Amino acid sequence: MRWENGEWGFERELDALRRVFQEEYCFETTTWIIPSNESSQYDIMSNALNFIRDFDNSDNLFILYYAGHGLINRYRQSTWAL
């Protein structure tokens, strides 16, 4: 997953990683574009929970690759950051 308006070239990085997973290992992949808005934290968590709910199976392997930064908020919690 990456931010919709990230400026660090993560789009190329994620495309390259997606090709490796699909072409070399025959994995299905999904790319999430994180909206840059007030509810982005909720969007990330909602997408992750829905994905797990829809595909949870002992035969599945979940790999989450996050292209972005993180920080500790005022409540000392880890936070996804643009």
Side-chain angles (χ1 to χ4, degrees):
M1 68 181 164
R2 68 173 179 83
W3 293 94
E4 70 180 338
N5 59 353
E7 300 174 6
W8 306 287
F10 289 134
E11 187 173 356
R12 288 188 307 271
E13 181 179 309
L14 285 175
D15 285 342
L17 184 58
R18 179 188 48 76
R19 282 193 303 276
V20 168
F21 279 129
Q22 289 179 343
E23 296 170 11
E24 301 294 324
Y25 298 103
C26 299
F27 286 160
E28 292 183 34
T29 63
T30 301
T31 301
W32 294 341
I33 307 301
I34 306 166
S36 299
N37 60 36
E38 298 270 331
S39 68
S40 60
Q41 297 293 324
Y42 297 117
D43 294 337
I44 292 170
M45 298 310 296
S46 177
N47 279 339
L49 291 172
N50 289 336
F51 188 82
I52 291 169
R53 183 198 61 219
D54 293 344
F55 297 102
D56 190 19
N57 182 314
S58 62
D59 294 331
N60 289 339
L61 170 66
F62 296 112
I63 299 172
L64 174 65
Y65 182 83
Y66 171 63
H69 300 280
L71 54 90
I72 303 294
N73 68 17
R74 67 180 181 207
Y75 303 107
R76 305 293 301 154
Q77 299 168 330
S78 298
T79 304
W80 309 96
L82 175 63

